[in-house]
Amino acid sequence: MSQSEQKPILQVRGLSKAFAGKTVVHNVTFDLHPGEIIALVGENGAGKSTTKNMLCSLLAPSEGEILVDGQKLEPGIGEDLGVSAVHQELSLFQTLTVAENMCISRLPGKAANVDWAEAERIAAEQLDFLGIEIDPHVTVDQLGSGKQQVVEIGKALLHAEKVLILDEPTTSLTAVEREKLFNILDKLKERGLAIIFISHFMEEIYRVCDSYVVLRDGEQVGHGKLADVPQHHLEEMMVGRAIGEARPDLSEPTADEALRVEDFENEDFHQISLSVKKGEILGIAGLMGAGRTELAEAIFGLRPAKGKIWVHGQEVPGHNVTKMKDRNVVYVPEDRRINGLFLNRPVRENLSAASILTFVKRRLRGIGFKGEKRKANELAEEMNIRIPHIENHVSDLSGGNQQKVLIGRWLVTAPEVIILDEPTKGVDIGAKFDIHATIVRLAHEGAGVIIVSSDLPELLNTAHRIVVMRKGRIAGEFTRDQFDPARIISVAASEGGARDDAA
Amino acid sequence: MTQLKTLLSRQKWLAAAIATIVLAALLSVMSPVFLTFSNFQSVLVQASVTAIMAIGMTYIILSGGIDISMGAILFFTSALFAQLMLDTSSYPLAFAAAISCATLLGALNGALVIWFRMSPLITTLATYSIYRGMAIHLTGAQNIPVPREMGFLGNGRILNIPVPIILLLIIFVIGIYLLNKTRFGVFVRALGNSQRSAEETNLPIGKVTITAYAIGGFVTGIAALVLLARVGGLQSGIGIGIEFTVIAAVILGGTKLTGGSGTIVGSVIGAVFLVLIDNGLNLMNASPYIYDIVRGGVLLAAVVVDRLSAYRAEQSLRSQRSARLRETAQA
């Protein structure tokens, strides 16, 4: 391609950042040409966010420099030089209108006054280019998350004359919306915009990007054309060790039944019957909206449902959360930030939260902090939770490490059944590996495990058996020797299909 | 009906306006004098001090803050004005000092909140005590009368319209303009929406916050002069508890206490509503001790109704979302 002959629009030279003497990004160097999309990849905590914040001029680098079209990027002037970012968590103002949001940092009008007609025209024009119908008058809180994402991109594009930075732009999008976004990126590429694309999803990176920069522990460990590097090699660069082929060793399930449900039914799912043995890992696959999360929540008693349920061979009449908990059934929800973690408490307390009574010393009626500390340290070690100290708050951890804490706390309690909903969503590869190992260990220690996941390779790797749901019904079941990704996907998506032979 | 509901949930001040009209209708049934022009004027005059301050408070609450010290700023400004008039008899000096001090004290609240990243509630709780203490120190805790001609500000008329109403109108119009037509107005609303987004968008957070609190101080200064004129002199009880009435007016007017959404019109309507309630209790010959109970009850009811409607909106949004997911799954 002719890109290499062109003058780079963005030059990053020896970029480094240290906080309080601790280097978090060291010597990042790359060029970006007009019309090029570069993937910035790395595990959580590798320094991507810090690098991103320096690139969009929210942070000043400790060393090195960034040149935009030959001009030096100083803190706060990113948008003036034509560099703009879409952050992972949307930076939209919910009760402001679409037009207000998009134009906010460059409102048209004389002096202090705002020319609203002009602002709305600019917003409408931008949305038109993005090929989406949104009324610039409505407030953002009236839009779905997909449309909000587009508004955010439109907002950034108004200032990104030269470089656009996208941080995990697809996490809140449906498959259709994602494809639309990629088409928009293709258009922007044609326009000659340079794009920095940060994502965890390898398929996306290979779909949209031309080149890559890999960060690990703050160091730039790889940089080049994406066409020259196979996916597993890229992943190995990120993690710093060989992965991919390594499947965790599954141990044989026992003959004891840990959990059984029969004729489970409510508005979201119908005629569900399934069982899990002690030591068995059951995967539940299916498309978004197939009723998987609803089923998992209903089994744990979070949602009402008709039907019968047995735990360890004994029927649970009128089952609800309290009764399930009493029978040592554990549920780990999908959204760890909202459900499950105490973000502003130390890792130690989060790890011991489920087993805190075992540390209580009878006589003192207090908590035996020594025992609690020892156990927390052990767990952090075993699960490879990367923290300077167990007294650090959970909110300081990366997503993957947070998830490890959330799952790790149950290791102490030896649960009868553990139900995990999307246990590795938004988690990087290394943490995923550790979490899978923990799940396998939970099963090995005798728990019946149910994993709800949209990540099929995850289920193929860890499950003994996969049940596929479609539109609220069980559409198929596969044992490990029958695992076949293509068939599982077709059962999850198609009409008719394998439903008959599964029933 | 559903359309009306969405309209009311989006334009919350409309709900306050409807409640005010209903209450006024009730009162006019109870008393024949209520529905006269002169009574209408007197209601507005009674509401003027609260309403003027509520306009300033709206900016502060919209930006995500709150100012508990407004009553203390009111008291300090009154004390400064009365003392200066007593010592120098110079109107220009007293006016200029009072208004600029009020603005500065407001700005100081904002600056403390921004510089030290402190909770506005605690910060202004502290300055509430400081400002009130400063005022008492300044006057030696004495009651000071103000010259009789000051009464013009409180009871005088221009073109047969009471002066407090004129002042309220001017501040009302400027307030609406500032909030809806200027960058500052957008920034105030944006800031109350999300501090993080405001940082990422590189908005001038410090300037906007300090200006919002300064505006609150400025209008409190004007309200102080009107109140002083109506009362006839400085008394030690001036401004005690008025921040409650002001915040109540803003919340009743549909502004979200956590910021980001609300209107100036709503706050003024809220202030009028509170006066009407007092009027109603007065017409019913209610015991003076019951007033606070009713005011508090009304505020509580307004917040409960708002929470319930917000909860219902969340629920319907949730079911919409899962319906949408189901559609995508079937597509």
Side-chain angles (χ1 to χ4, degrees):
Chain A
M1 290 213 242
S2 63
Q3 273 170 7
S4 46
E5 295 140 34
Q6 271 177 307
K7 211 172 138 273
I9 191 83
L10 182 78
Q11 292 165 286
V12 181
R13 296 273 165 272
L15 199 63
S16 301
K17 182 74 191 174
F19 291 112
K22 191 174 171 279
T23 306
V24 281
V25 171
H26 185 239
N27 204 10
V28 173
T29 301
F30 65 91
D31 281 353
L32 187 59
H33 295 85
E36 182 182 354
I37 305 184
I38 193 166
L40 180 59
V41 296
E43 291 190 277
N44 286 332
K48 280 178 304 176
S49 293
T50 311
T51 308
K52 174 201 72 180
N53 285 336
M54 286 191 281
L55 289 172
C56 65
S57 81
L58 278 174
L59 268 181
S62 310
E63 271 173 61
E65 60 178 5
I66 303 164
L67 298 177
V68 182
D69 213 2
Q71 270 183 287
K72 192 166 183 236
L73 186 76
E74 304 280 355
I77 66 162
E79 295 195 342
D80 300 323
L81 292 189
V83 182
S84 192
V86 174
H87 298 278
Q88 185 173 8
E89 279 175 69
L90 296 185
S91 51
L92 291 178
F93 304 104
Q94 293 290 324
T95 62
L96 265 53
T97 67
V98 171
E100 285 175 322
N101 265 293
M102 287 176 66
C103 299
I104 193 149
S105 46
R106 261 188 224 170
L107 289 164
K110 282 182 214 136
N113 293 322
V114 179
D115 182 349
W116 286 120
E118 176 67 8
E120 272 156 23
R121 194 193 60 72
I122 294 172
E125 194 183 277
Q126 188 65 256
L127 292 169
D128 195 47
F129 165 74
L130 295 174
I132 190 158
E133 264 182 55
I134 299 174
D135 180 358
H137 291 93
V138 301
T139 52
V140 165
D141 57 359
Q142 296 177 66
L143 303 176
S145 53
K147 283 190 172 174
Q148 289 195 9
Q149 182 78 55
V150 177
V151 170
E152 175 93 24
I153 292 170
K155 173 185 172 183
L157 275 178
L158 280 176
H159 311 291
E161 283 104 16
K162 290 165 187 158
V163 181
L164 176 69
I165 304 168
L166 295 169
D167 188 4
E168 300 282 358
T170 59
T171 42
S172 57
L173 300 186
T174 62
V176 182
E177 288 167 336
R178 200 174 306 167
E179 205 42 52
K180 264 193 192 159
L181 172 69
F182 294 158
N183 291 335
I184 291 171
L185 293 186
D186 289 340
K187 268 203 240 175
L188 293 171
K189 205 173 140 89
E190 281 168 31
R191 262 192 180 185
L193 194 71
I195 299 173
I196 298 172
F197 189 87
I198 304 174
S199 175
H200 273 120
F201 300 104
M202 284 296 154
E203 317 88 76
E204 289 183 3
I205 288 171
Y206 277 89
R207 159 79 175 74
V208 299
C209 298
D210 305 303
S211 48
Y212 66 92
V213 166
V214 185
L215 297 184
R216 188 175 70 230
D217 296 330
E219 299 280 347
Q220 180 173 331
V221 293
H223 170 39
K225 290 263 171 269
L226 211 49
D228 304 337
V229 57
Q231 182 176 334
H232 72 90
H233 190 63
L234 194 63
E235 288 176 345
E236 280 167 13
M237 273 191 257
M238 290 164 60
V239 185
R241 57 182 139 124
I243 47 160
E245 315 311 319
R247 274 188 173 185
D249 292 326
L250 291 182
S251 46
E252 273 305 300
T254 62
D256 284 356
E257 204 164 62
L259 179 98
R260 162 185 288 278
V261 296
E262 265 177 25
D263 297 323
F264 238 48
E265 187 139 351
N266 76 2
E267 60 196 44
D268 295 304
F269 50 82
H270 314 278
Q271 297 170 356
I272 303 287
S273 296
L274 50 81
S275 72
V276 189
K277 297 205 164 58
K278 283 176 82 68
E280 186 184 31
I281 302 175
L282 173 70
I284 300 184
L287 300 179
M288 292 251 274
R292 293 168 304 163
T293 296
E294 290 82 356
L295 174 64
E297 287 183 358
I299 290 176
F300 189 56
L302 287 168
R303 282 169 189 263
K306 281 185 286 186
K308 289 182 173 177
I309 188 160
W310 287 263
V311 177
H312 204 180
Q314 284 184 318
E315 192 174 348
V316 186
H319 96 290
N320 57 27
V321 176
T322 320
K323 286 181 185 169
M324 296 305 272
K325 270 182 165 167
D326 288 346
R327 285 163 179 78
N328 234 342
V329 177
V330 166
Y331 177 68
V332 182
E334 177 177 346
D335 197 325
R336 57 182 171 264
R337 281 173 205 242
I338 301 175
N339 309 314
L341 284 174
F342 309 104
L343 288 176
N344 292 318
R345 303 299 306 171
V347 170
R348 166 180 54 80
E349 288 179 14
N350 272 282
L351 280 171
S352 67
S355 50
I356 194 69
L357 286 180
T358 60
F359 299 113
V360 174
K361 287 181 183 160
R362 288 266 157 104
R363 205 145 21 118
L364 293 171
R365 294 259 162 208
I367 294 168
F369 288 110
K370 265 191 201 154
E372 190 199 359
K373 246 182 218 169
R374 197 184 324 119
K375 195 72 210 173
N377 269 322
E378 270 173 40
L379 281 175
E381 183 93 4
E382 284 171 27
M383 297 197 61
N384 201 7
I385 299 173
R386 280 181 232 163
I387 32 164
H389 202 270
I390 51 164
E391 294 303 321
N392 283 53
H393 286 188
V394 167
S395 53
D396 299 338
L397 303 188
S398 67
N401 283 317
Q402 287 185 352
Q403 191 72 0
K404 288 185 207 167
V405 170
L406 186 55
I407 297 174
R409 71 160 66 124
W410 301 109
L411 278 173
V412 194
T413 66
E416 180 78 24
V417 177
I418 182 162
I419 307 167
L420 304 139
D421 193 0
E422 302 288 356
T424 60
K425 191 181 177 189
V427 153
D428 57 65
I429 300 168
K432 205 175 201 175
F433 199 74
D434 292 331
I435 289 169
H436 288 168
T438 308
I439 292 172
V440 168
R441 202 182 121 193
L442 276 162
H444 180 75
E445 286 173 5
V449 181
I450 299 179
I451 306 178
V452 173
S453 178
S454 301
D455 182 356
L456 192 53
E458 167 166 292
L459 295 182
L460 296 174
N461 249 336
T462 54
H464 291 93
R465 196 150 55 88
I466 295 178
V467 163
V468 184
M469 282 182 77
R470 188 181 63 231
K471 291 189 195 172
R473 289 171 195 276
I474 291 183
E477 184 176 331
F478 299 82
T479 52
R480 203 160 174 83
D481 50 338
Q482 302 167 326
F483 280 1
D484 173 2
R487 268 202 74 208
I488 293 177
I489 289 167
S490 81
V491 169
S494 68
E495 290 296 323
R499 176 133 139 230
D500 303 323
D501 50 37
Chain B
M1 191 62 203
T2 35
Q3 262 180 328
L4 182 71
K5 263 189 192 161
T6 19
L7 185 69
L8 284 184
S9 72
R10 300 223 69 87
Q11 302 288 341
K12 292 217 171 82
W13 65 274
L14 261 181
I18 290 171
T20 311
I21 291 168
V22 170
L23 183 58
L26 265 173
L27 291 179
S28 61
V29 171
M30 284 165 67
S31 155
V33 286
F34 181 81
L35 215 57
T36 58
F37 186 65
S38 70
N39 191 53
F40 175 71
Q41 277 194 344
S42 107
V43 165
L44 271 186
V45 170
Q46 286 175 61
S48 59
V49 170
T50 316
I52 288 173
M53 289 168 73
I55 291 171
M57 187 69 95
T58 308
Y59 283 97
I60 298 172
I61 292 183
L62 272 179
S63 78
I66 198 155
D67 190 346
I68 305 292
S69 77
M70 261 194 181
I73 296 180
L74 184 89
F75 182 57
F76 180 84
T77 315
S78 308
L80 183 69
F81 182 86
Q83 187 71 43
L84 279 175
M85 283 307 292
L86 190 70
D87 294 347
T88 67
S89 299
S90 157
Y91 273 111
L93 176 71
F95 272 122
I99 299 290
S100 46
C101 260
T103 312
L104 273 179
L105 293 183
L108 180 63
N109 283 338
L112 288 172
V113 167
I114 267 304
W115 289 343
F116 302 109
R117 308 217 154 212
M118 292 193 290
S119 141
L121 192 75
I122 302 301
T123 310
T124 57
L125 191 63
T127 55
Y128 161 85
S129 181
I130 295 171
Y131 297 166
R132 200 162 255 289
M134 273 163 36
I136 291 172
H137 192 73
L138 181 76
T139 59
Q142 279 176 323
N143 291 356
I144 306 171
V146 290
R148 184 159 295 165
E149 64 265 24
M150 253 304 272
F152 176 73
L153 261 188
N155 308 312
R157 282 162 184 268
I158 296 173
L159 297 173
N160 207 25
I161 308 172
V163 174
I165 296 185
I166 293 177
L167 285 172
L168 172 60
L169 263 177
I170 294 172
I171 292 175
F172 178 66
V173 170
I174 297 177
I176 286 184
Y177 177 81
L178 215 53
L179 190 60
N180 295 306
K181 301 286 177 198
T182 65
R183 288 196 176 83
F184 168 71
V186 187
F187 291 167
V188 164
R189 285 181 284 140
L191 192 55
N193 252 287
S194 159
Q195 180 96 17
R196 180 184 55 80
S197 298
E199 277 166 22
E200 285 177 354
T201 318
N202 216 350
L203 298 187
I205 297 172
K207 242 201 244 170
V208 171
T209 307
I210 294 175
T211 313
Y213 281 90
I215 290 175
F218 174 77
V219 295
T220 303
I222 291 177
L225 298 179
V226 173
L227 188 64
L228 200 58
R230 293 190 60 207
V231 178
L234 181 71
Q235 294 166 8
S236 58
I238 279 186
I240 289 182
I242 198 170
E243 54 280 330
F244 171 80
T245 319
V246 170
I247 293 169
V250 173
I251 301 305
L252 284 173
T255 296
K256 239 169 94 185
L257 189 56
T258 46
S261 124
T263 56
I264 304 257
V265 191
S267 303
V268 173
I269 292 174
V272 171
F273 185 80
L274 287 172
V275 169
L276 287 185
I277 290 211
D278 286 1
N279 263 14
L281 291 169
N282 194 12
L283 284 175
M284 286 160 63
N285 281 325
S287 143
Y289 304 116
I290 216 165
Y291 281 44
D292 279 341
I293 300 178
V294 174
R295 282 188 207 133
V298 165
L299 180 61
L300 200 58
V303 175
V304 168
V305 168
D306 185 48
R307 271 317 304 159
L308 283 180
S309 72
Y311 176 73
R312 241 179 267 135
E314 274 164 30
Q315 291 293 315
S316 85
L317 199 68
R318 250 198 211 172
S319 66
Q320 274 173 25
R321 259 193 207 144
S322 61
R324 188 177 141 229
L325 276 182
R326 234 168 274 147
E327 269 167 39
T328 9
Q330 283 165 17

